[in-house]
Amino acid sequence: CRDVLRQLAQGGARVQTCVTSPPYWGLRDYGVAGQIGLEATPEEWLDRMVEVFRLVRDVLVDDGTLWVNIGDAYCHGTGKDRKPTTTAGGRVPASWSNRSQPQRIRPAGDIKPKDLIGQPWMLAFALRADGWYLRRDIIWHKPNPMPETVSDRPTTAHEYLFLLSKRPRYYYDADAIREPVTGGAHARGDGVNPKSRAWKTPDGWDTTKGEGGHGSVHRAGREKGHVRPRQNESFSGAVSGLVEDRNKRSVWTIATKPYSEAHFATYPPDLIEPCILAGSRPGDIVLDPFFGSGTTGEVAERLGRQWIGIELNPEYGKLAARRTAQTGMLL
């Protein structure tokens, strides 16, 4: 991943957005020596992640964005490895991502047995410290989460998706991902409430400005104990006419979807479609430095984008090649 990103930067490659899900720390063994994710401590993993995304920034256009899907994990209360029957075999579903390697996450540094690692926010803050603009945390709510045999905490039913940018101003097509409003929405007329300019008095609404203009009314009304409504003209204008759709919210409810041929960590196409729509235009290049089975490329193609995917494991590369056509580059 890092070698290829350096080559792309040296060759002058530029991409509009990067959408990816990097290896989580201490969770999976992808079968390649020196892989990211099996470091001794989360701090070592963070150092590698920061390096990777610093290289991503080198190939990102100035108004580009980075979308990172990342989940969390717990330090187990036991130092014992998992039994072989829970990590492999015909009766173990591939979707059991927390059963993919024998070694459990063990205590390290200030991480105690049973602690939640907190790696999503560790990564977000590390990237912010490295110069990225941390613009939004998005909750991926899973209505069909993996069952957990726990009785002293809620079952995990979410992961994070972080939106970061290279510059304070960047390309973001909010209209492309607007969502339907709730059933209780109603028309706001022209959006301007005359009461937004008035004071409520014991005798009704006072809309006079007085000799000193708006400021004098403000002071006079306050002195008389009158109450100014909380609605203001700018707010009224902003909500005017919003009866069919609204700006996309920060909680996305999307079910996990199995892909029979893929490796363990396959995010659903519905999760990254809004990222690609908002972060790029048709014809733009979408990058995924941890390409896996090729979900990012498949969605990018369907939406009329080009793509560059980087994958360490050649078997996953074969899966990606079967899922995608010729509008991208698998490296």
Side-chain angles (χ1 to χ4, degrees):
C1 169
R2 288 169 290 180
D3 291 343
V4 172
L5 284 171
R6 291 189 186 97
Q7 295 170 14
L8 290 173
Q10 293 170 1
R14 292 295 179 268
V15 302
Q16 180 61 47
T17 191
C18 174
V19 182
T20 192
S21 183
Y24 304 174
W25 177 67
L27 196 59
R28 302 180 184 94
D29 185 348
Y30 293 99
V32 180
Q35 63 190 287
I36 294 174
L38 296 185
E39 295 80 7
T41 67
E43 287 74 21
E44 292 179 26
W45 170 79
L46 277 176
D47 288 343
R48 285 188 169 187
M49 287 288 96
V50 168
E51 181 185 4
V52 166
F53 290 116
R54 189 180 297 158
L55 294 169
V56 167
R57 193 166 55 208
D58 290 341
V59 300
L60 198 66
V61 297
D62 286 345
D63 67 347
T65 50
L66 167 64
W67 305 76
V68 181
N69 164 230
I70 185 77
D72 216 336
Y74 281 88
C75 177
H76 292 276
T78 174
K80 296 181 180 179
D81 288 343
R82 298 186 179 96
K83 297 178 180 179
T85 54
T86 66
T87 60
R91 301 182 64 181
V92 179
S95 58
W96 286 17
S97 56
N98 64 337
R99 296 289 186 269
S100 59
Q101 62 167 333
Q103 185 177 347
R104 298 177 186 270
I105 295 178
R106 292 179 169 86
D110 62 352
I111 298 175
K112 306 175 293 300
K114 300 189 73 172
D115 267 343
L116 180 66
I117 305 302
Q119 57 183 295
W121 284 105
M122 292 173 66
L123 176 60
F125 292 151
L127 294 179
R128 186 180 67 181
D130 197 55
W132 289 94
Y133 289 83
L134 180 57
R135 295 295 297 131
R136 180 72 265 177
D137 63 314
I138 298 163
I139 302 298
W140 170 20
H141 165 229
K142 304 177 182 180
N144 58 338
M146 183 63 60
E148 295 180 325
T149 56
V150 294
S151 58
D152 58 355
R153 62 171 175 81
T155 295
T156 303
H158 75 284
E159 290 188 18
Y160 284 93
L161 182 65
F162 291 109
L163 166 60
L164 304 104
S165 64
K166 185 175 179 178
R167 299 283 187 268
R169 294 186 178 275
Y170 50 93
Y171 178 79
Y172 180 86
D173 188 353
D175 289 338
I177 60 171
R178 295 183 71 82
E179 61 185 21
V181 297
T182 59
H186 59 279
R188 305 273 182 166
D190 63 4
V192 179
N193 187 337
K195 296 178 181 178
S196 67
R197 306 187 184 95
W199 288 92
K200 188 176 183 180
T201 74
D203 300 322
W205 291 95
D206 179 6
T207 59
T208 61
K209 291 187 177 181
E211 294 181 0
H214 186 77
S216 296
V217 174
H218 180 85
R219 288 192 297 274
R222 185 171 54 193
E223 291 168 1
K224 294 177 182 179
H226 298 167
V227 178
R228 187 176 181 83
R230 297 184 67 180
Q231 183 180 8
N232 57 56
E233 194 166 343
S234 62
F235 172 79
S236 298
V239 300
S240 173
L242 299 184
V243 294
E244 294 183 354
D245 53 32
R246 67 186 186 187
N247 193 39
K248 193 166 185 65
R249 299 322 198 224
S250 61
V251 177
W252 301 358
T253 300
I254 299 170
T256 59
K257 295 181 179 179
Y259 177 58
S260 59
E261 295 185 83
H263 67 293
F264 298 101
T266 303
Y267 49 28
D270 289 346
L271 178 68
I272 62 169
E273 180 174 315
C275 309
I276 295 174
L277 285 172
S280 66
R281 312 164 189 83
D284 283 343
I285 300 176
V286 179
L287 169 69
D288 187 347
F290 301 103
F291 202 55
S293 61
T295 304
T296 301
E298 182 181 49
V299 176
E301 283 189 4
R302 177 165 53 81
L303 299 177
R305 275 68 169 172
Q306 303 178 76
W307 55 266
I308 296 175
I310 305 171
E311 176 52 45
L312 184 67
N313 190 309
E315 294 302 316
Y316 300 159
K318 294 176 183 178
L319 295 178
R322 291 200 292 268
R323 300 179 71 182
T324 55
Q326 299 298 320
T327 65
M329 182 188 307
L330 175 59
L331 302 171

